[in-house]
Amino acid sequence: MKVVVMSDSHRRIGVIDKVMNAHPDANLFIHCGDFQDDIAYYAGLLVVAGNGDTDDRIPKEMIQTLMGHRIYVTHSHRFPYIQRHQHLVHKAKSLNCDIVLYGHTHIPHYEVIDGVTLINPGSLFYNRDYSKPSYVILNLDKDIKVEFVRLEG
């Protein structure tokens, strides 16, 4: 199963269109917050609310079960900066999730901690580690395969 994960687009809907159009074979598109636009224009895009989102239709967090994996999706701004990854792992385990998709930091990240896979796709707007804006292609079956895609221009 192919899942495209993005975050922190900050009203740059053109880039969301570009990403979605580049992957017509994707089974699912997930946005980890700071979408800051009208979700009604994006059928098929699952979005959680970030600190910059004001649309009450957007949930603060969600859980998706895909290919035997329970996935916790959050923007992560409600988690402490200090030891954020450990807090995300603790939350995931309390929800019986083995994958966490999160945003907010604008820093691409992929790590497995205590059996929980943490993935931050970075930002479609700008990455704070000075890398190019990015998103993730997540291929799920028994294994979890993570590919970061960098945007040009």
Side-chain angles (χ1 to χ4, degrees), residues 35-133:
F35 178 70
Q36 297 178 317
D37 213 308
D38 188 348
I39 60 170
Y41 294 118
Y42 286 93
L45 177 64
L46 299 179
V47 180
V48 295
N51 54 302
D53 292 308
T54 58
D55 189 332
D56 291 337
R57 296 174 295 174
I58 303 175
K60 291 180 172 81
E61 58 188 7
M62 73 173 72
I63 295 174
Q64 293 290 309
T65 302
L66 305 170
M67 302 299 292
H69 298 280
R70 278 183 53 90
I71 303 169
Y72 173 60
V73 185
T74 181
H75 187 59
S76 89
H77 64 288
R78 292 181 177 86
F79 289 84
Y81 178 77
I82 304 293
Q83 298 185 332
R84 176 174 308 214
H85 297 150
Q86 288 76 11
H87 288 280
L88 287 168
V89 167
H90 177 72
K91 178 71 172 185
K93 286 183 165 240
S94 75
L95 297 169
N96 295 314
C97 293
D98 64 327
I99 299 173
V100 176
L101 303 178
Y102 71 102
H104 185 60
T105 66
H106 291 233
I107 298 173
H109 181 254
Y110 167 56
E111 182 178 14
V112 179
I113 299 175
D114 200 18
V116 176
T117 301
L118 300 173
I119 302 167
N120 184 326
S123 170
L124 292 178
F125 173 43
Y126 74 94
N127 285 336
R128 292 184 177 134
D129 65 354
Y130 304 108
S131 64
K132 291 185 177 188

